Amino acid sequence: MPELKRLHAGDAPAVLAFELANRAYFAASVSDRGDEFYDEFTDRYGALLAEQEAGICAFYVLVAEDGSVLGRFNLYDLEYGAAVLGYRVAQHVAGRGVATATVRELCGLAAVRHGLRTLRAATASDNVASQKVLTKAGFVPVGPADPADIGGKPGTWYQRDLEVQP
């Protein structure tokens, strides 16, 4: 059974392997991160961990029983009870409900662990799979997204209000 866990320094090799193995798949629906991302991965990864430690963001990985990364699920810009959700799953698990189930799980963690009340996510108009994930996970469209928010593509912002647990 896959496990959703907070990103840690020791996850770096598995995260890099996940990104490299799925690079072409991701580039088909979101802007490619470019060679620089991979060339500077160690420094960028360290910066992510520093942001997480500072409470600015919260990064999660969905890990298979064999230790491989099946997906990344991130909460950005945590402030005023809200955050932006970003996620990506490996091609070999896409279309199996993995992203939807994990986004739902992360919504619960966002409320309980991070005290968030609202999550927002932007998706490109042509990324139908991501739109389905968000809708099935309880998000509703709330307006157009600036193309700068989605790699230069037109799209939509989705939002989900969370139930904060006492």
Side-chain angles (χ1 to χ4, degrees):
M1 184 61 100
E3 177 187 2
L4 184 64
K5 63 180 207 161
R6 285 288 292 266
L7 188 69
H8 290 91
D11 298 323
V15 170
L16 179 58
F18 164 81
E19 292 289 349
L20 288 168
N22 292 284
R23 183 177 182 179
Y25 171 66
F26 295 147
S29 59
V30 294
S31 297
D32 184 63
R33 291 182 163 164
D35 292 337
E36 185 177 302
F37 172 84
Y38 302 97
D39 294 343
E40 299 174 359
F41 182 81
T42 301
D43 292 337
R44 289 177 181 271
Y45 195 84
L48 291 178
L49 293 174
E51 286 181 1
Q52 181 168 261
E53 185 66 30
I56 299 167
C57 300
F59 302 109
Y60 289 85
V61 287
L62 183 64
V63 181
E65 291 177 16
D66 67 1
S68 64
V69 172
L70 299 175
R72 296 182 65 183
F73 297 83
N74 304 314
L75 300 173
Y76 297 97
D77 303 329
L78 280 74
E79 59 182 2
Y80 308 113
V84 176
L85 167 69
Y87 59 91
R88 50 181 53 202
V89 296
Q91 183 174 12
H92 73 278
V93 298
R96 298 182 183 179
V98 171
T100 301
T102 308
V103 167
R104 285 179 179 147
E105 181 179 352
L106 186 57
C107 286
L109 289 173
V112 173
R113 189 176 288 169
H114 304 288
L116 298 174
R117 296 181 307 277
T118 305
L119 290 181
R120 291 173 45 92
T123 184
S125 298
D126 62 355
N127 191 344
V128 176
S130 189
Q131 294 164 25
K132 286 181 181 179
V133 166
L134 292 172
T135 301
K136 287 180 180 180
F139 286 74
V140 295
V142 293
D146 187 312
D149 295 329
I150 326 171
K153 298 179 179 183
T156 303
W157 277 104
Y158 287 75
Q159 182 171 305
R160 177 175 168 181
D161 294 328
L162 306 174
E163 294 182 26
V164 179
Q165 305 297 320

